[in-house]
Amino acid sequence: MADTQSARSIAYTRAPFSTWLGIVCLFVLFGLIVLAVIGPSPRTSDYEETRAKKRMEKLKTLHEESQKELTTYAWVDKNKGVARIPIDRAMEVTVADLAQKKPAPAGPIATPAAQTAPAGTSPAPAASQQPGTAQPAQPSAPAGSPAGQGAASPPPATQQSPPAPASHAPATTP
């Protein structure tokens, strides 16, 4: 009986002071970690102003570099002989080249005529051909494919598209 009472007294005893002290220390440690993480973050508008100044400086340098590339001569790849010229000069050279070329007339645009087949005509089956005429060779399909199971495709001669009409003026490329 003495053993059961000692077990009850241990189970219902108040927690020692060191346990409470340990819990309080854990909360304090958690608070310090939170302050360490949040502490360095900016809390004033000076931070945004400095970021804006840095962005403006980067934008200004980027604009200066692009203006330099658009207005100066430089080698892009010296081994291949590729150079960069100012954009104003490039436009002058391009206009001069185009002015020297005489444009060729394009001529009328010929549209293909729509060919319609009469409603009553369809490819005749092989059994209805007259004796003595040659039949076009049908491509054979494997036994497992849908074409090999009775779905015959028309011969290649009937699948040709109509030829495009020739244009009146020769086509020239610049």
Side-chain angles (χ1 to χ4, degrees), residues 15 57 98 113 119 134 162:
E57 289 173 7
L98 290 175

Side-chain angles (χ1 to χ4, degrees), residues 58-77:
K58 286 181 183 178
L59 182 64
K60 183 179 177 183
T61 57
L62 180 66
H63 182 68
E64 289 172 356
E65 289 173 3
S66 63
Q67 280 300 105
K68 181 181 175 187
E69 288 179 1
L70 290 173
T71 58
T72 60
Y73 291 92
W75 285 106
V76 173
D77 190 356

